[in-house]
């Protein structure tokens, strides 16, 4: 692709793109193919306007010289966050019908379920998980969900728990009444997650390629539509790090277009994009 293929507000060369995608990949481990050229231009043009810069070369130099101040904005801008409530419905059916009954037996002494939503985006996934758990657990049980993402802006949205009515159109009226407040006045077209759900979730910023502060095991992990961004070696590395935080026979849920290899990890595919920890490699 030539920078002259289309009229652009800011000059954007392949040297600019290569510098920026290398910076992104070194930080996040996410592979950035050539097809993301236009996406990088579109997302980062907004930062160039905000900063009052003249082109992408200037922006690259600004990033070099103001790394601490700008790097989070850079990562937030190029991170893709697409999600919805109860996305990939079969995962929540499995959670309700298979996993929750197992955990009620397994965790009877503590009456606590601990889970992790990795790559939680704007919060629809962790709230869906907690709704499913609270609806199907005895009332004296406790739910503790860690929800993490690389993007600090989507985490802010998730923690606020305010969504447009369009976002919740696939949720039943009964569920909406139980778990959401209706907006009023200027917020009439919005809903807010009730405090009971929010109290079960800790939202935290986390780069999966860096150190993880968690040490206690989880009962299950959701990591959906995250592996698609990594190469095979990185997928295996992250899967094994998940394994270190899961007991034997625990489950890992991944995205509909993703796979992990059993031969290189502790996990075996037991259902549609549902994996079970079945071994511990030496």
């Amino acid at each position: 692709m030539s920078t002259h293929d289309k009229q652009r507000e800011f000059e954007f060369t392949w040297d600019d793109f290569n510098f920026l995608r290398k910076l992104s990949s070194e930080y996040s481990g996410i592979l950035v193919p050539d097809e993301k050229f236009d996406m990088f231009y579109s997302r980062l043009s907004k930062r160039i306007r905000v900063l009052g810069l003249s082109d992408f070369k200037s922006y690259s130099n600004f990033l070099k010289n103001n790394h601490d101040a700008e790097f989070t904005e850079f990562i937030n801008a190029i991170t893709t966050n697409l999600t919805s409530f109860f996305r990939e419905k079969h995962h929540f059916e499995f959670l309700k019908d298979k996993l929750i009954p197992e955990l009620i037996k397994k965790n009877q002494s503590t009456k606590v379920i601990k889970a992790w939503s990795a790559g939680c985006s704007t919060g629809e996934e962790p709230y869906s998980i907690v709704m499913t758990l609270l609806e199907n657990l005895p009332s004296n049980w406790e739910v503790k969900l860690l929800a993490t993402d690389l993007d600090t802006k989507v985490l802010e949205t998730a923690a606020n728990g305010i969504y447009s009515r369009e976002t919740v159109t696939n949720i039943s009226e009964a569920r909406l009444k139980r778990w959401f407040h209706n907006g009023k006045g200027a917020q009439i077209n919005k809903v807010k997650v009730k405090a009971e759900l929010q109290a079960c979730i800790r939202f935290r910023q986390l780069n999966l390629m860096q150190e993880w502060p968690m040490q206690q095991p989880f009962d299950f992990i959701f990591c959906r539509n995250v592996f698609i961004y990594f190469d095979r070696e990185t997928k295996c590395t992250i899967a094994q790090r998940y394994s270190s935080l899961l007991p034997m026979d625990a489950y890992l849920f991944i995205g509909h277009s993703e796979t992990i290899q059993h031969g290189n990890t502790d996990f075996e595919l037991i259902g549609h994009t549902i994996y079970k920890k079945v071994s511990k490699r030496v």
Side-chain angles (χ1 to χ4, degrees):
M1 180 192 300
S2 165
T3 56
H4 302 294
D5 283 352
K6 57 181 71 176
Q7 195 69 32
R8 298 187 186 275
E9 180 182 359
F10 304 109
E11 183 180 11
F12 185 42
T13 69
W14 277 94
D15 285 343
D16 298 327
F17 179 55
N18 288 332
F19 168 78
L20 293 167
R21 68 172 163 179
K22 183 172 184 288
L23 198 64
S24 169
S25 295
E26 286 175 349
Y27 174 74
S28 66
I30 295 172
L31 300 175
V32 182
D34 291 352
E35 292 75 27
K36 298 294 184 182
F37 187 95
D38 286 333
M39 186 271 276
F40 263 53
Y41 177 86
S42 175
R43 300 278 183 86
L44 293 172
S45 289
K46 298 172 185 176
R47 292 302 305 157
I48 292 176
R49 291 188 199 99
V50 168
L51 296 167
L53 300 174
S54 58
D55 54 27
F56 275 80
K57 184 175 182 179
S58 300
Y59 182 68
S60 296
N61 288 331
F62 183 85
L63 258 177
K64 292 176 189 176
N65 298 324
N66 301 273
H67 188 277
D68 291 345
E70 179 61 19
F71 195 76
T72 297
E73 296 287 351
F74 165 66
I75 290 295
N76 286 351
I78 60 174
T79 302
T80 299
N81 294 286
L82 179 64
T83 187
S84 61
F85 285 101
F86 297 97
R87 185 182 187 186
E88 297 177 49
K89 186 179 177 182
H90 62 282
H91 284 165
F92 297 97
E93 291 173 346
F94 182 90
L95 180 59
K96 174 181 178 288
D97 297 334
K98 171 75 172 171
L99 182 48
I100 290 176
E102 286 183 8
L103 292 176
I104 288 175
K105 292 179 181 179
K106 180 180 176 184
N107 296 0
Q108 190 60 235
S109 61
T110 63
K111 294 180 170 55
V112 176
I113 291 181
K114 298 178 181 179
W116 179 13
S117 168
C120 69
S121 188
T122 45
E124 288 91 336
E125 175 179 282
Y127 287 125
S128 299
I129 294 169
V130 173
M131 279 186 260
T132 305
L133 289 170
L134 293 181
E135 288 169 359
N136 296 282
L137 284 169
S139 59
N140 61 336
W141 280 59
E142 184 179 5
V143 172
K144 296 182 178 181
L145 180 69
L146 173 66
T148 65
D149 203 279
L150 185 65
D151 187 333
T152 56
K153 287 187 176 178
V154 298
L155 285 169
E156 184 178 352
T157 298
N160 287 336
I162 298 173
Y163 300 95
S164 69
R165 286 197 171 275
E166 295 174 0
T167 308
V168 297
T169 52
N170 67 327
I171 298 179
S172 69
E173 282 299 319
R175 194 170 248 164
L176 280 173
K177 186 175 181 179
R178 179 172 179 182
W179 299 118
F180 294 85
H181 293 293
N182 290 317
K184 298 178 180 179
Q187 302 292 310
I188 192 67
N189 292 318
K190 295 184 179 180
V191 296
K192 180 174 174 57
V193 173
K194 288 187 178 179
E196 183 183 355
L197 283 185
Q198 292 178 303
C200 297
I201 307 174
R202 289 183 302 126
F203 291 102
R204 297 288 186 271
Q205 198 271 348
L206 181 70
N207 182 347
L208 292 175
M209 299 302 294
Q210 297 179 354
E211 290 299 312
W212 298 357
M214 305 84 74
Q215 296 180 345
Q216 298 299 315
F218 296 101
D219 291 301
F220 62 89
I221 295 173
F222 271 59
C223 180
R224 305 189 304 172
N225 306 305
V226 173
F227 282 119
I228 54 173
Y229 297 109
F230 299 124
D231 60 29
R232 181 180 298 179
E233 182 179 355
T234 305
K235 288 179 190 176
C236 291
T237 298
I238 291 176
Q240 285 306 106
R241 293 178 76 184
Y242 286 144
S243 171
S244 71
L245 292 171
L246 289 170
M248 198 65 65
D249 297 325
Y251 298 97
L252 172 65
F253 299 80
I254 67 173
H256 66 93
S257 61
E258 301 172 315
T259 59
I260 54 177
Q261 293 183 315
H262 171 53
N264 297 319
T265 72
D266 298 339
F267 296 99
E268 180 179 57
L269 182 65
I270 58 97
H272 181 38
T273 57
I274 302 170
Y275 286 79
K276 187 174 187 178
K277 182 175 175 179
V278 295
S279 64
K280 182 63 183 173
R281 293 190 304 142
V282 179

